[in-house]
Each structure stands twice: as structure tokens, then as C-alpha cells.
Amino acid sequence: MIKNFIYLDEDKMYSLSSQIFEGITEYVLNENTSDSQESETQKGPVGSGKVLADVIISSSKATEKKFFHDYSFTLFENHLMEQGRVLELTSSALSLEELKASITDFSFIKIKAKSTFNDVNKITELFSEFNTIGEALAHMGAFSRINELNAELALLKQQTQDRNKKSQLEAEHKRLTNLKTLAKEGNLYQDQKFLDNLGLLTKYGFSDQFEITQSFGESLFTSCLKRDFLRESEDILVKKYSRKTEKEVVVFGIISQAFSGDEVELDEEGKDYSNMKAALLNLVDHLTNIEYSISGKQENEVVIDPIAVYFEV
């Protein structure tokens, strides 16, 4: 099966695979530094042939390097699968209880399911620009009617002095050009302070995360991706595959959290601490519970540290 990678954490892959293969994958990567160069004569400005050759060599190097990354992952994945060290969820769904019973026996997981791309930066941007976007949408929806009213009012001034009709048209025109009120009527405008607070909590709880979420049976799987290891920009991925994908996505990674509670029992109020360190540790417990209330893991959720994300083609 050919893999169309959209994400590959090369650092993590080579760190793990070098331990498995005793460094052999690192040697394959280094083989990329060996290049051959042919000299050629080209008619044109002085030095143009050399510039063209340098461009061709640079392009060849980049393509070759990516190829070895992809092939190294295939070797890495196949070895772990053959060793039975991967929990594979690609066909029949396990019940939640079956998954809870078996997941602790594995460190690695491979799940194939339709996915949702969750870009927190886009969500916080939406909160900050929600009312502006709402007014723009309301204006677009009313734009045609506003032009019609302008034309009718101009014609009315020339042909008749019907004050009642003129008053009606002017009232409708005033309503349609009051974009804030128009947006509110269409539920496209919210209290700005409320939106600001939503944006603040989202930034605090989720930072700038880019996640893939997958539902499999009764369970939810969340993979937090590093943007630097995406093969394409976030917007391009959403444009190509949709924010909710039609095709199934394969995520291969390490199980980092599974069915464990996040809330911490706090010390009694007013308790005295022996030193500053003990007080700070208590503060960390409070911080943990605040984070849990905002972005805590759900009861049926498994968090994955992803190594690779790809489509099978």
C-alpha cells in the first residue's frame, strides 16, 4: 500500500528507529549526501550553465531526502507491526471496555478512521473577528435589496412626492444599512466581551494546537501535531481533504494518555506549607484542575503522540 504522507515527525521516528535498527536508518539518510555532478556546456550568458546545474542538484537533494524519510518510516512501521507491538484499529471496532482492557499492553497505536482537523488558531481568529464577519455576511445578503432601494428612492424623488411610500422605503433602507442590527437579527453578532473571553480561554487552554480527532467505535482519539512537520500548510490540507475528511486517515504514534483521570485532589483550604516549594506544588495542582476544566481529556478519549499521518492510496 502506498502512503501519501501529510505529516511525519522525522526526529521522533529516527530517535526510535535508530534504537531498533542500531543506527542503520541513519546510514541510509547519510547516503543522501553522496552526489555526482556532470559538467555541460550551454549557450547563453556567461555562467548560466553552472547556475542551471546548481539548481538541478539542489532540487534533486531535497527530493531524495524526503524519499528516505518516507521509506525509513515504512521500515520502522513494518518492524513494529511484525513484532506485535502495535495496537491496530483499522477495521472492526472494539467496544470501549475491550479497548480499556487491551490498550495497556501496547505502547504504539495505528488507527484508520475519518478525521477532523482542529486548528485552534482558526477558532481563536473566528472569535476575534466573529462580529466583523457577521456584519460582512449580513451586508452581502442585503446588498442586492439595498441597491434596489437606492434606485427606487432616486426614481421616487423625480416622479412623485408620495411621502408615505418614500418614508417606507427610507425606513427599510435605514434598517438594511444598519449592519450591526442586521447581523444580530441573523444571529451573526454576539456580545464582544463574551467573544473576547472565549478567545482568551481558548488561547490559554489550547495554545496554538493543531489536532486530528478520530472516532472509532465508542472511543475518541486525539493527536496533537507539530506544525513544522506538516507536509503542507494547514489551510491547504483543509482545502484538499475538508475539515471533516471524506477519506479515512491513518495515524501512527505512541499512546500517551488513555482512560486516566486528570483531576487532582486539592489540599484543605488554609493549610500551611513548610516552604515555598511545597506551596508552589499546591499551586500546580490548582493549575492542573483549571486546565482540566478548559481542555481536559474526555472519559472515552485516548491521546496519541503522533509519528506519522497519511492516506493509503
Side-chain angles (χ1 to χ4, degrees), residues 91-109:
S91 53
S92 59
L94 296 175
S95 69
L96 186 58
E97 295 305 317
E98 290 174 329
L99 184 60
K100 287 181 178 180
S102 60
I103 199 168
T104 54
D105 297 331
F106 300 90
S107 297
F108 297 92
I109 186 169

Side-chain angles (χ1 to χ4, degrees), residues 68-106:
F68 281 128
H69 286 327
D70 298 355
Y71 181 63
S72 295
F73 173 77
T74 300
L75 295 177
F76 172 68
E77 180 187 35
N78 289 343
H79 178 82
L80 291 175
M81 296 290 288
E82 291 169 1
Q83 294 292 316
R85 301 179 64 178
V86 181
L87 175 61
E88 187 174 9
L89 302 175
T90 56
S91 53
S92 59
L94 296 175
S95 69
L96 186 58
E97 295 305 317
E98 290 174 329
L99 184 60
K100 287 181 178 180
S102 60
I103 199 168
T104 54
D105 297 331
F106 300 90

Side-chain angles (χ1 to χ4, degrees), residues 50-65:
K50 184 177 184 303
V51 171
L52 179 60
D54 290 341
V55 170
I56 293 174
I57 290 172
S58 298
S59 177
S60 175
K61 283 184 178 180
T63 303
E64 191 175 16
K65 185 176 181 181

Side-chain angles (χ1 to χ4, degrees), residues 17-54:
S17 61
S18 63
Q19 298 172 60
I20 295 173
F21 299 116
E22 298 180 356
I24 189 170
T25 51
E26 185 66 25
Y27 171 77
V28 174
L29 177 63
N30 287 341
E31 199 173 48
N32 184 48
T33 61
S34 172
D35 288 299
S36 61
Q37 181 175 354
E38 296 180 4
S39 60
E40 62 175 274
T41 303
Q42 178 181 342
K43 293 182 179 180
V46 176
S48 62
K50 184 177 184 303
V51 171
L52 179 60
D54 290 341

Side-chain angles (χ1 to χ4, degrees), residues 109-309:
I109 186 169
K110 178 180 179 180
I111 174 171
K112 181 179 180 182
K114 292 182 179 181
S115 305
T116 300
F117 295 116
N118 178 18
D119 188 349
V120 174
N121 286 349
K122 278 293 183 183
I123 295 174
T124 54
E125 181 183 354
L126 176 62
F127 288 149
S128 65
E129 301 294 336
F130 184 89
N131 287 338
T132 303
I133 294 172
E135 288 183 6
L137 291 173
H139 189 203
M140 292 300 99
F143 185 73
S144 177
R145 180 54 182 161
I146 291 173
N147 285 339
E148 290 177 3
L149 288 171
N150 287 332
E152 288 183 37
L153 284 169
L155 185 62
L156 191 63
K157 289 179 181 179
Q158 297 175 0
Q159 295 182 349
T160 180
Q161 295 297 323
D162 189 339
R163 294 183 179 181
N164 289 333
K165 186 174 183 181
K166 181 181 177 182
S167 177
Q168 291 175 1
L169 293 177
E170 287 177 341
E172 185 180 1
H173 185 273
K174 183 178 180 180
R175 183 181 67 83
L176 292 178
T177 52
N178 187 335
L179 299 182
K180 183 176 179 179
T181 301
L182 196 63
K184 284 183 177 180
E185 291 175 359
N187 293 321
L188 295 172
Y189 196 98
Q190 299 295 328
D191 179 75
Q192 188 59 50
K193 187 65 176 179
F194 173 73
L195 293 172
D196 291 342
N197 288 334
L198 276 178
L200 174 65
L201 292 174
T202 303
K203 285 182 180 179
Y204 179 82
F206 300 93
S207 300
D208 65 341
Q209 293 176 14
F210 184 75
E211 298 179 340
I212 287 183
T213 57
Q214 297 167 291
S215 294
F216 196 87
E218 303 172 69
S219 303
L220 179 68
F221 296 84
T222 302
S223 304
C224 299
L225 308 184
K226 299 176 185 176
R227 296 176 188 267
D228 291 343
F229 292 117
L230 289 169
R231 289 289 174 89
E232 298 177 296
S233 70
E234 301 89 332
D235 289 339
I236 292 294
L237 286 176
V238 171
K239 188 66 175 178
K240 282 185 175 182
Y241 304 110
S242 178
R243 194 166 296 281
K244 291 183 175 291
T245 65
E246 293 183 5
K247 292 186 176 181
E248 293 181 321
V249 180
V250 178
V251 173
F252 187 96
I254 301 169
I255 301 168
S256 56
Q257 297 182 61
F259 310 120
S260 56
D262 290 332
E263 284 194 275
V264 177
E265 292 186 7
L266 302 176
D267 292 336
E268 295 179 1
E269 186 176 350
K271 179 180 178 179
D272 292 328
Y273 297 97
S274 58
N275 54 37
M276 185 68 175
K277 181 178 180 180
L280 286 175
L281 290 175
N282 178 60
L283 182 61
V284 171
D285 289 343
H286 284 274
L287 178 62
T288 301
N289 281 349
I290 291 173
E291 291 172 339
Y292 177 76
S293 68
I294 299 173
S295 58
K297 183 171 61 63
Q298 300 179 49
E299 292 182 0
N300 66 331
E301 184 178 4
V302 175
V303 180
I304 300 172
D305 181 7
I307 299 172
V309 182

